[in-house]
């Protein structure tokens, strides 16, 4: 690595960095192909593993924390499994997730990748399923008041 990059990385240590953006849960579903479906010419996958990793702005947050910075994440999540997994991943890296607000009227943005393989084949991504609500700035009334109160009080 170039010396100037090492110096740059060293400057992250201990810095307080606020990241605002789309906190995305990247989900990887892995499994073995068992057969072809009778209903359609598609693979039948026996799921063996599900893993969630930080995507979008959450990936940036995770990178800042990994480089030694004190990361503060701000974004809107749903009240679902994707949100719980994403917060847990970030909190394990000592990220401040107080700014990751859950809205019961939304779902967390997710990108689910299905990885299929078999004993005699190489695993590969066969499909990606994205869930992203149309971009909107509308917040439920209670969450909007909470955000306004906390921004004005701090």
């Amino acid at each position: 690595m170039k010396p100037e990059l090492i110096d740059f990385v060293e400057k992250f240590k201990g810095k307080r960095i606020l990241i605002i953006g789309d906190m995305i849960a990247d989900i990887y579903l892995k499994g073995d192909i068992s057969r072809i479906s009778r209903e359609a010419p598609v693979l039948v996958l026996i799921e063996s593993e599900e893993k969630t990793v930080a995507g979008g702005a959450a990936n940036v947050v995770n990178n800042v924390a990994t480089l030694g910075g004190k990361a503060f994440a701000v974004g809107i999540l749903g009240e679902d499994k994707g949100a719980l997994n994403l917060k847990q991943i970030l909190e394990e890296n000592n990220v401040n997730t107080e700014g990751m607000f859950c809205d019961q009227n939304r779902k967390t943005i997710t990108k689910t990748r299905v990885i299929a393989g078999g004993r005699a084949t190489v695993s590969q991504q066969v499909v990606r399923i994205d869930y992203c609500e149309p971009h909107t700035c509308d917040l439920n009334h209670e969450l909007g008041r909470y955000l306004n109160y906390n921004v004005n009080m701090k």
Side-chain angles (χ1 to χ4, degrees), residues 15 30 35 65 84:
K15 297 287 187 213
K30 294 182 181 179
R35 64 186 184 284
L84 289 172

Side-chain angles (χ1 to χ4, degrees), residues 26-133:
D26 282 340
I27 302 168
Y28 291 85
L29 295 177
K30 294 182 181 179
D32 293 326
I33 301 165
S34 67
R35 64 186 184 284
I36 303 294
S37 173
R38 293 179 192 206
E39 298 134 7
V42 296
L43 305 172
V44 175
L45 188 77
I46 304 298
E47 184 182 333
S48 61
E49 179 184 351
E50 179 177 330
K51 181 179 182 179
T52 303
V53 299
N59 184 38
V60 176
V61 170
N62 217 24
N63 291 339
V64 167
T66 301
L67 291 172
K70 180 63 180 158
F72 294 81
V74 176
I76 301 174
L77 306 170
E79 287 187 354
D80 51 30
K81 183 179 174 183
L84 289 172
N85 290 342
L86 201 51
K87 286 181 102 173
Q88 180 182 357
I89 290 164
L90 296 176
E91 287 169 358
E92 286 173 1
N93 279 335
N94 297 315
V95 169
N96 183 315
T97 61
E98 290 178 28
M100 293 175 70
F101 302 100
C102 292
D103 183 346
Q104 65 186 8
N105 298 319
R106 294 175 184 253
K107 283 184 69 177
T108 301
I109 300 170
T110 59
K111 295 183 182 196
T112 304
R113 293 160 178 87
V114 178
I115 313 294
R119 287 178 230 138
T121 62
V122 174
S123 293
Q124 66 181 29
Q125 182 174 320
V126 294
V127 67
R128 187 176 102 179
I129 305 159
D130 289 2
Y131 182 82
C132 179
E133 292 186 6

Side-chain angles (χ1 to χ4, degrees), residues 75 87 97-102 139-154:
K87 286 181 102 173
T97 61
E98 290 178 28
M100 293 175 70
F101 302 100
C102 292
L139 299 175
N140 75 38
H141 183 68
E142 184 179 327
L143 181 59
R145 281 191 340 194
Y146 178 79
L147 290 171
N148 187 43
Y149 173 79
N150 280 301
V151 167
N152 289 326
M153 295 303 291
K154 293 185 178 181

